[in-house]
Amino acid sequence: FAYSFLHPTTGGVDISYHSVGSSAGKRWIVDGSRRCDGARPCVTLDWAASDSLLTESDYAAQPDLQMFPTLAGAVVPIFNLPNHTEGEGQDLLLTPTLVSKIFRGAVTRWDHPEIVSINPLLALPAERILLCVRADGSGTTEIFKKALSAFEQEFKEQVGADSGTRWGLANVTRRRLNSGVATYVAHTPYSLGYSVLAEAESAGLPFAALLKGDHRVRASPTSVAYALAELGLEIGNEREVLTADVHNALGLMAWPICGYTYLVMRTNPLPAEVPGSSLETRRAVVYFWRWFYTHPQGVVARLAAKNGFAPLPPIVSEKVLPFLLKSIRWQGVPVALPEPKPSLTVVGPVWLSSAFEQLGIIYEQDPHSNAETSYAVVKDGKQELFWRCSARAASRARRPPPRA
């Protein structure tokens, strides 16, 4: 909606989102972008979104697959303790290692001494912790398991850090999607699960804060941004795969269970491999993401924060966008057309020419300027300034001469 409202000429496209989970989304893109399940009309997938990474076998199946980071979000331990009230000093506190112990079955009760010792103000019940995990392959699970594996070697050895459904626990409930886990926790006293921050806040569920040394940190767009500043600035490798692990940030202000959400696309498919797609649709996709990464008026950043996500650091988005624009192709040719480059012309007295020429050179070197500048001397005493934008062929604005 925001894109269509702000860009009525290029944004007049319908964008529909199917919530199927990271693993299913990646599988649809890898197996073929045309989906026909019999229950609904066939759809052509233009991209997938995933919190989990593609595998080597995915890249082998479709060598032109690419992942582009878009936002970053927190995964949080959500819980249901009857009579618990949120407020100052009422956070449920866990340590990173304690979270790992609980989800590998080493700590099984709410009144375990390790939990009680760091929550002296909470009346913790003598009840078993009822764990709920994802039943489907999940990027949320991958972020959570990677972080817990980094927190504790025993978790890494007994459970692992993949996005799959194996936990090695006998007494665990499984639910599909973040919403399924959140619904179970909301309706099950003494339960503990995990979810993306946005889902927890949408469901009104409390989530644990983490104790790092003597400092407690809560999940928020700000604490995720601290994690990105520590771990998320170096993306890409020798294959130009634009991914990075941002879990287990050590800074006291950084939330250590978080990850990038990636746009997943075929960059150069044959037309026969994506029936229903076209140059026009591919170009519309690229223009949407160009708008997304440049976020005019801060729209994307504000929407991200409102939904519990952190936008990309500028150093990352400035690397991702040019790579996306050159990578997305149709029949081997990049689909993005160059943006019109306005020409800015100023006329005025001789004594200003040197200064304006130097300013123009500096301005043109700025990566955000996207303009060419020139200065013309008027020798008849008139000091006239005007702006001409040659890209749209003929817009001209005049200003009165400055007062002496």
Side-chain angles (χ1 to χ4, degrees):
F1 171 78
Y3 178 59
S4 298
F5 180 78
L6 292 171
H7 287 261
T9 56
T10 58
V13 296
D14 293 324
I15 300 175
S16 60
Y17 184 86
H18 301 262
S19 181
V20 297
S22 293
S23 292
K26 290 186 301 182
R27 187 172 65 251
W28 285 11
I29 289 292
V30 172
D31 293 346
S33 297
R34 187 74 167 169
R35 305 303 299 180
C36 300
D37 59 12
R40 292 172 293 188
C42 295
V43 296
T44 298
L45 302 179
D46 296 296
W47 73 76
S50 175
D51 299 327
S52 61
L53 301 182
L54 293 167
T55 65
E56 290 298 325
S57 60
D58 293 331
Y59 287 115
Q62 302 290 359
D64 68 331
L65 279 169
Q66 183 58 268
M67 304 189 81
F68 304 92
T70 59
L71 300 167
V75 178
V76 294
I78 54 177
F79 65 92
N80 182 335
L81 285 175
N83 303 318
H84 175 269
T85 56
E86 292 188 278
E88 186 69 27
Q90 296 300 306
D91 279 338
L92 172 66
L93 276 179
L94 300 173
T95 66
T97 302
L98 191 48
V99 178
S100 296
K101 289 182 177 181
I102 292 172
F103 278 89
R104 68 176 174 87
V107 171
T108 60
R109 301 184 66 82
W110 283 108
D111 60 347
H112 189 281
E114 288 191 48
I115 304 179
V116 172
S117 65
I118 58 176
N119 291 279
L121 300 180
L122 298 186
L124 294 166
E127 297 284 347
R128 184 167 64 89
I129 299 173
L130 305 177
L131 291 179
C132 184
V133 300
R134 289 284 290 269
D136 51 330
S138 159
T140 305
T141 297
E142 183 171 307
I143 292 171
F144 195 61
K145 282 185 174 181
K146 279 184 173 180
L148 271 55
S149 293
F151 299 158
E152 190 196 39
Q153 183 64 26
E154 289 83 356
F155 185 94
K156 182 177 181 180
E157 294 172 353
Q158 296 174 24
V159 181
D162 57 68
S163 61
T165 60
R166 185 183 70 85
W167 287 85
L169 298 171
N171 298 317
V172 63
T173 299
R174 302 173 187 273
R175 291 290 185 269
R176 289 191 71 255
L177 304 177
N178 280 296
S179 57
V181 175
T183 298
Y184 174 85
V185 171
H187 292 89
T188 308
Y190 312 114
S191 59
L192 178 71
Y194 59 92
S195 170
V196 295
L197 175 60
E199 187 70 42
E201 292 182 331
S202 175
L205 287 170
F207 52 89
L210 292 181
L211 192 63
K212 303 173 78 174
D214 294 328
H215 183 82
R216 67 177 65 195
V217 59
R218 282 180 58 85
S220 70
T222 300
S223 60
V224 171
Y226 277 111
L228 297 185
E230 180 180 333
L231 299 174
L233 303 184
E234 294 295 329
I235 61 170
N237 56 29
E238 65 279 0
R239 292 194 320 178
E240 293 188 305
V241 176
L242 304 182
T243 60
D245 285 323
V246 295
H247 58 270
N248 198 27
L250 301 180
L252 294 180
M253 304 292 288
W255 184 254
I257 315 175
C258 60
Y260 280 129
T261 294
Y262 295 93
L263 155 68
V264 186
M265 283 189 71
R266 297 278 306 278
T267 58
N268 191 26
L270 296 173
E273 295 176 317
V274 284
S277 188
S278 65
L279 172 62
E280 288 71 25
T281 57
R282 299 279 286 178
R283 184 167 287 158
V285 168
V286 167
Y287 287 170
F288 169 79
W289 287 105
R290 182 166 65 187
W291 171 84
F292 178 93
Y293 283 112
T294 54
H295 47 81
Q297 294 86 48
V299 170
V300 172
R302 291 199 299 270
L303 288 175
K306 182 179 179 181
N307 289 279
F309 291 91
L312 297 185
I315 193 173
V316 175
S317 59
E318 288 171 6
K319 181 176 182 179
V320 172
L321 179 57
F323 187 71
L324 183 147
L325 295 178
K326 76 175 184 180
S327 298
I328 306 303
R329 298 169 177 260
W330 183 252
Q331 297 185 345
V333 179
V335 301
L337 296 175
E339 291 187 274
K341 194 166 188 177
S343 175
L344 309 180
T345 302
V346 178
V347 297
V350 176
W351 59 269
L352 275 178
S353 62
S354 177
F356 267 101
E357 285 172 1
Q358 292 180 50
L359 285 171
I361 292 172
I362 295 171
Y363 182 62
E364 289 176 26
Q365 302 308 309
D366 188 316
H368 300 290
S369 69
N370 190 36
E372 296 175 343
T373 63
S374 63
Y375 185 87
V377 173
V378 175
K379 297 182 179 180
D380 61 0
K382 292 181 64 178
Q383 296 182 20
E384 180 185 15
L385 302 178
F386 69 91
W387 167 297
R388 185 178 71 240
C389 180
S390 62
R392 299 270 180 193
S395 133
R396 175 176 291 187
R398 295 184 177 273
R399 301 180 186 175
R403 296 181 180 274

